[in-house]
Amino acid sequence: MGLGIGLVGLPNVGKSTTFNALTKAQNAESANYPFCTIEPNKAIVPVPDSRLDELAKIVKPERIQYSTIDFVDIAGLVKGASRGEGLGNKFLSNIRETEVILEIVRCFEDENITHTEGSVDPIRDIEIIETELLLVDIESLQKRIDTIQKKAKGKDKDALAQLEIAEALMAHISDGKPASSFDQFDNEAYATLKKDLRLLTNKEIMYGVNVDEEGLSEDNKHVKAVRAYATEHDREVIKLCAKVEEEMAGFDDEERSEILDSLGVTESGLDQIIRKGFDKLGLMSYFTAGVKEVRAWTIRKNTTAPKAASVIHNDFEKGFIRAEVIGYDDYIACGGEQKAKEAGKSRLEGKEYIVQDGDIMHFRFNV
C-alpha cells in the first residue's frame, strides 16, 4: 500500500540490529562504529496475526498469507544533520518517504559500546533527533512561504489564505512544537499544505527502547525516563532487547516462546513493533478463507466494502454488488463458513458497509 515505518536513531543504538531481527535476514550490516548503514535498507515484514492460524485450523488451506508492513532502516542521525553534519539531509529525506517514525533509543549501559554523545541519556538523544526533524521542517516551510508570498503580492485569494496558515504554522514549529500538535486550522488549504510538504514532525512517532537482558523484566531508570516523556507527548513506548531479538530470529515459535518466558516477557518486542506500527499506520485486515488460501487483506480503517474489494482486484470494486460477511468471532465459534450460515451469522452488506477488522468476506460482483 506504499506505507512504511522508518527506523531512526543516533548511531550505535541498536537500530540496524533491530532491523535485522525484524526482517529475520542478516542483510543490514551491524557493527560498533557510526554510519554502519550507508544506504537505507528496506524490507517487507509480515504482521503476526494469530487469527489467521485459528482460521487455518478450521479451513486447512494450502497456504497462509499475512498482511505486511514496509520497514526502512535509515542511517544514524547526529546533531547538525539538518545542516549536513554526518550523512545529513539525504537520510532525512528517506524519513519523509515513511508514514510512521520508530525512534530506537539506547537504554542500557555498556562501556564496550561507544555512544556518539559520550554517555547514555535517551531523553537527550530523543531531543537531538526531534530537533533535527523540526529544523528540516522549518527549512521546507520557509521555502514554501517564500513562494506563496510572491503569489500573495498579486492579491491572489488562495495564496493569501495559504500564507496565513503557513506563517501560523511556522510560528508554531519555530517555538519547538511539532506540526502534529498544530490545530489552528481545519480546512482544505491546510490539508493541501500538509500533503505537499509531508512535514517530518507531522508523522506518528513511537519509541523503541533498547535494553539489555536484565532490563526486559524490569524497567531501568532510562526506560522510566522515556515512558514519562512519552506520556507527556502522547506517544507509544515499546521495550525490546535488540540483541536477544536478533538471536531469536532463526528460532521457531516454540523456541522463541521458551526464551521469552525465561526472560519474564510475554510478547516479543518486535511483535509489538509490528502490531502497533500496523495500527499507527491506520491499517487493519479483513480475511478470505478457502482451501487454496487463508489470507489477510490490508486496508485502511473505515474503508467501505467496494473499496476493500478493490485490493483483491479493481474489477471487484467496479462491478460490486454485495459482500457476504461473517464476523471473525462468529466464524470461529461456529466452526467455519457453512455452520456460521446455518446459525444465521452470515449476512449480506451493500456499498455503504464499513468493513470491520477481522471480517471474513466474499464479494459478489459483475463486470
Side-chain angles (χ1 to χ4, degrees):
M1 294 187 69
L3 299 171
I5 298 175
L7 273 67
V8 178
L10 299 185
N12 289 355
V13 297
K15 189 168 47 59
S16 291
T17 303
T18 301
F19 182 81
N20 285 340
L22 273 166
T23 60
K24 296 188 177 180
Q26 310 301 306
N27 58 356
E29 182 189 2
S30 56
N32 184 25
Y33 56 88
F35 309 123
C36 176
T37 305
I38 301 303
E39 293 296 336
N41 296 285
K42 299 181 181 180
I44 299 174
V45 180
V47 178
D49 194 331
S50 61
R51 295 175 299 179
L52 283 169
D53 302 320
E54 294 303 313
L55 290 174
K57 290 177 184 177
I58 295 172
V59 179
K60 296 179 173 53
E62 294 177 11
R63 61 181 177 271
I64 301 174
Q65 182 69 49
Y66 296 85
S67 288
T68 61
I69 299 183
D70 294 343
F71 278 91
V72 181
D73 178 28
I74 298 166
L77 295 177
V78 294
K79 190 183 298 182
S82 59
R83 301 188 305 275
E85 295 293 328
L87 293 169
N89 284 328
K90 177 178 180 181
F91 298 101
L92 291 167
S93 67
N94 292 140
I95 302 171
R96 201 181 302 282
E97 300 307 311
T98 64
E99 297 299 322
V100 171
I101 295 173
L102 173 63
E103 292 185 25
I104 303 296
V105 289
R106 178 173 162 183
C107 289
F108 66 91
E109 304 280 351
D110 188 334
E111 61 184 18
N112 295 315
I113 301 177
T114 59
H115 193 295
T116 55
E117 294 298 313
S119 62
V120 176
D121 183 344
I123 303 304
R124 175 204 59 211
D125 295 353
I126 288 170
E127 289 176 345
I128 287 173
I129 292 167
E130 296 183 7
T131 296
E132 295 305 318
L133 301 185
L134 274 169
L135 291 171
V136 172
D137 281 354
I138 288 171
E139 181 182 356
S140 299
L141 186 56
Q142 186 59 58
K143 289 179 180 177
R144 176 54 60 92
I145 288 173
D146 292 343
T147 300
I148 298 172
Q149 282 177 333
K150 293 176 183 177
K151 294 181 180 179
K153 287 179 180 179
K155 304 301 181 184
D156 183 302
K157 290 184 179 180
D158 290 339
L160 288 168
Q162 279 203 358
L163 183 60
E164 180 189 3
I165 295 169
E167 289 180 338
L169 178 57
M170 176 63 86
H172 179 84
I173 61 177
S174 295
D175 196 33
K177 301 171 184 174
S180 59
S181 64
F182 181 74
D183 57 3
Q184 290 178 236
F185 296 87
D186 183 16
N187 55 35
E188 187 175 342
Y190 181 46
T192 300
L193 189 69
K194 287 196 295 183
K195 182 179 179 181
D196 289 348
L197 292 178
R198 303 188 69 182
L199 297 173
L200 303 184
T201 62
N202 199 44
K203 298 179 184 296
E204 287 276 4
I205 291 179
M206 302 189 298
Y207 299 127
V209 294
N210 183 21
V211 300
D212 54 19
E213 289 187 26
E214 292 180 359
L216 280 174
S217 58
E218 185 175 348
D219 288 354
N220 60 35
K221 66 178 182 180
H222 299 307
V223 174
K224 289 176 180 177
V226 176
R227 289 198 190 280
Y229 184 92
T231 298
E232 182 181 346
H233 292 81
D234 193 26
R235 289 171 179 164
E236 193 93 45
V237 175
I238 300 166
K239 185 166 67 172
L240 74 153
C241 176
K243 181 180 178 182
V244 169
E245 299 282 358
E246 187 179 36
E247 290 172 351
M248 292 194 301
F251 296 170
D252 60 32
D253 290 344
E254 185 175 344
E255 290 172 324
R256 292 173 74 242
S257 180
E258 289 176 359
I259 292 172
L260 292 174
D261 286 343
S262 70
L263 295 171
V265 180
T266 58
E267 182 181 16
S268 159
L270 296 185
D271 284 351
Q272 292 181 62
I273 287 172
I274 298 168
R275 177 172 53 80
K276 293 180 180 180
F278 194 69
D279 181 66
K280 288 291 184 185
L281 286 167
L283 303 177
M284 53 174 262
S285 301
Y286 74 86
F287 306 131
T288 53
V291 292
K292 287 287 185 182
E293 180 182 69
V294 165
R295 179 165 183 161
W297 298 91
T298 305
I299 58 174
R300 286 189 177 277
K301 296 172 183 177
N302 300 313
T303 295
T304 61
K307 185 59 68 176
S310 72
V311 303
I312 298 178
H313 198 288
N314 286 335
D315 286 348
F316 282 28
E317 180 182 13
K318 293 176 183 177
F320 180 89
I321 300 172
R322 290 281 187 276
E324 296 180 20
V325 183
I326 303 173
Y328 171 79
D329 290 338
D330 290 333
Y331 192 101
I332 297 298
C334 293
E337 180 180 341
Q338 187 57 42
K339 290 181 179 178
K341 288 181 176 180
E342 292 170 0
K345 299 299 184 180
S346 177
R347 62 189 189 277
L348 293 177
E349 299 287 358
K351 292 182 178 181
E352 303 303 316
Y353 176 66
I354 302 298
V355 178
Q356 302 300 301
D357 187 38
D359 278 349
I360 291 88
M361 306 186 75
H362 291 292
F363 297 103
R364 297 181 184 180
F365 70 102
N366 181 30
V367 177

